[in-house]
């Protein structure tokens, strides 16, 4: 919120106030004194039971009681819809209420579509409920997209003379070879999951849902799946001990639990062997050698899981890199301090997706490494957007790492499929959503040995825009 407040004041001379920090409303008749307000959606969203809301005790109720707003702006609007797009989130209900309590509403997001058609349509209906019938009509859907959405591309931003400000972005898919110990772990993990899910006496409520995520964890790192399996082992051993003391009444029999303990111990032994030569270790060596040491470049690394993050930090530090980090348990001040350290003297910043939104990390950094691939392909754009932004003076390089294995290939295929869905449903909105959008997003395959040439090729690359894009950019610059 403070970034919004600062930029609105310094760039537009608009003195916004922060609700909950600069002021609070305890009496609804005080709202008339506040015309320019910034509020955290998490602070003012409705409560889950609505009891305090109805009695004007909550921030949400007081906000609803305010006079009609001239304009409501919602940042990072893609967070409003839940993954299944069935149940409405509290944030969705907040914005729906404000939609009916304002003269105009603007939803801001760089990633409106996450590859889920239902979620995208729900967001469109929130923006324009009057166009619901068109949104639901396949023959009118494209027209509704064009009417509801405005897409601005950083690629097309120019100065007053029509000169493009950014030097472009390139993505590369780094395919890492899996060794036999890794593949054997993948096979044994698959067999364990299969047996567990087929077992009628398996503890469905507590365990069955969590097993498939083990595949995603292994696609991230051996350390990540080992950590998950060890936690699972501790839980099962606790139940075994409780059963033997006659204290447990769960559905799993003692025999089934003891068998699972043996399977888990065998898997952990396999992990111990596989993590000695994790296929992603050579990538960290290449990042340090080619970018940090030889290229004297700073590198921003993203990973989904904290366990993988800690492992990456340890490995890079052992090579001699000065490493900072960002994760979700840090305060806003701690995250910004990590970015400051990165800009001053750190070589590498390793972040979970807690650092993928709301931060500018382009000062001195133009290289992003996605250490693991997300289900949602738009996360790749969000991550790259931390360095590919106005003020970036070099061509942005993005490396997307994946292992040549069944699990990693499944994640890549699923994410690519979602990217193709995005391109198909936004094709009339912007020329970037064409038939090769997914290929550009993930990049062409590149071997780890070719990383050394990236800095040289990027430095000599000239971004090519066709005549129509250049003419349009000059027209916008001149105010036409």
């Amino acid at each position: 919120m403070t970034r919004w407040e600062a930029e609105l004041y310094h760039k537009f001379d608009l003195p916004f106030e922060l609700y909950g920090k600069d002021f609070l409303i305890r009496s609804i008749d005080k709202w008339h004194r506040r015309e320019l307000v910034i509020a955290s959606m998490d602070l003012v969203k409705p409560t889950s039971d609505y009891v305090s809301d109805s009695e004007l005790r909550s921030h949400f109720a007081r906000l609803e009681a305010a006079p009609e707003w001239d304009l409501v702006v919602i940042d990072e609007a893609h967070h409003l819809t839940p993954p299944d797009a069935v149940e409405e989130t509290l944030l969705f209900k907040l914005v729906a209420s404000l939609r009916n309590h304002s003269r105009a509403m603007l939803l801001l997001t760089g990633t409106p579509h996450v590859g889920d058609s239902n979620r995208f349509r729900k967001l469109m209906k929130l923006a324009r409920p009057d166009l619901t019938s068109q949104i639901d009509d396949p023959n009118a859907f494209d027209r509704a997209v064009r009417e509801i959405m405005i897409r601005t591309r950083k690629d097309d931003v120019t100065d007053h003379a029509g000169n493009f400000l950014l030097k472009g972005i390139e993505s590369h898919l780094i395919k890492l070879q899996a060794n036999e110990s890794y593949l054997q772990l993948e096979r044994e993990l698959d067999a364990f999951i299969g047996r567990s899910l087929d077992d009628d006496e398996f503890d469905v409520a507590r365990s069955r849902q969590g097993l498939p995520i083990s595949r995603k964890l292994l696609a991230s790192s051996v350390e990540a799946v080992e950590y998950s399996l060890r936690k699972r082992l501790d839980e099962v051993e606790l139940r075994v001990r409780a059963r033997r003391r006659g204290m447990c009444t769960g559905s799993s029999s003692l025999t089934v639990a003891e068998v699972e303990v043996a399977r888990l111990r065998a898997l952990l032994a396999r992990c111990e062997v596989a993590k000695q030569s994790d296929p992603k270790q050579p990538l960290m060596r290449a990042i340090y050698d080619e970018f940090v040491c030889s290229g004297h470049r700073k590198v921003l690394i993203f990973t989904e899981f904290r366990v993988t993050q800690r492992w990456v930090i340890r490995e890079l530090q052992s090579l001699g890199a000065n490493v900072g980090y960002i994760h979700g348990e840090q305060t806003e001040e701690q995250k910004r301090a990590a970015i400051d350290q990165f800009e001053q003297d750190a070589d590498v910043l390793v972040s979970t997706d807690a650092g993928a939104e709301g931060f500018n990390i382009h000062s001195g950094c133009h290289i992003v490494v996605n250490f693991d691939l997300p289900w949602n392909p738009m996360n790749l754009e969000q991550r790259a957007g931390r360095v590919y932004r106005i003020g970036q003076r070099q061509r942005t390089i993005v490396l997307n790492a994946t292992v040549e294995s069944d699990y990693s290939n499944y994640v890549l295929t699923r994410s690519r499929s979602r990217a193709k869905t995005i391109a198909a449903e936004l094709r009339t909105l912007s020329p970037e959503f064409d038939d090769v959008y997914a290929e550009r997003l993930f990049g062409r395959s590149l071997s780890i040995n070719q990383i050394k040439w990236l800095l040289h090729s990027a430095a000599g690359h000239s971004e090519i825009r066709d005549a129509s894009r250049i003419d349009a950019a000059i027209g916008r610059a001149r105010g036409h």
Side-chain angles (χ1 to χ4, degrees), residues 356-411:
E357 293 181 354
F359 296 104
N360 300 334
I361 317 180
H362 62 290
S363 178
C365 177
H366 68 108
I367 300 170
V368 177
V369 178
N370 293 306
F371 203 76
D372 41 35
L373 297 179
W375 292 124
N376 176 9
M378 287 295 93
N379 283 4
L380 297 178
E381 285 204 7
Q382 287 277 13
R383 295 171 176 182
R386 298 316 93 215
V387 304
Y388 187 57
R389 52 199 314 109
I390 304 303
Q392 177 58 259
R393 297 182 178 182
Q394 301 187 68
R395 185 169 176 81
T396 298
I397 298 172
V398 180
L399 302 185
N400 299 310
T402 185
V403 177
E404 291 273 33
S405 69
D406 289 344
Y407 287 0
S408 294
N409 289 339
Y410 173 69
V411 174

Side-chain angles (χ1 to χ4, degrees), residues 299-301 303 309 312-313 316 323-326 348-352:
V299 182
L300 174 60
I301 298 177
T303 178
Q309 181 190 42
V312 171
I313 291 170
L316 288 172
V323 185
Y325 57 87
I326 291 176
V348 182
L349 181 64
V350 185
S351 178
T352 64

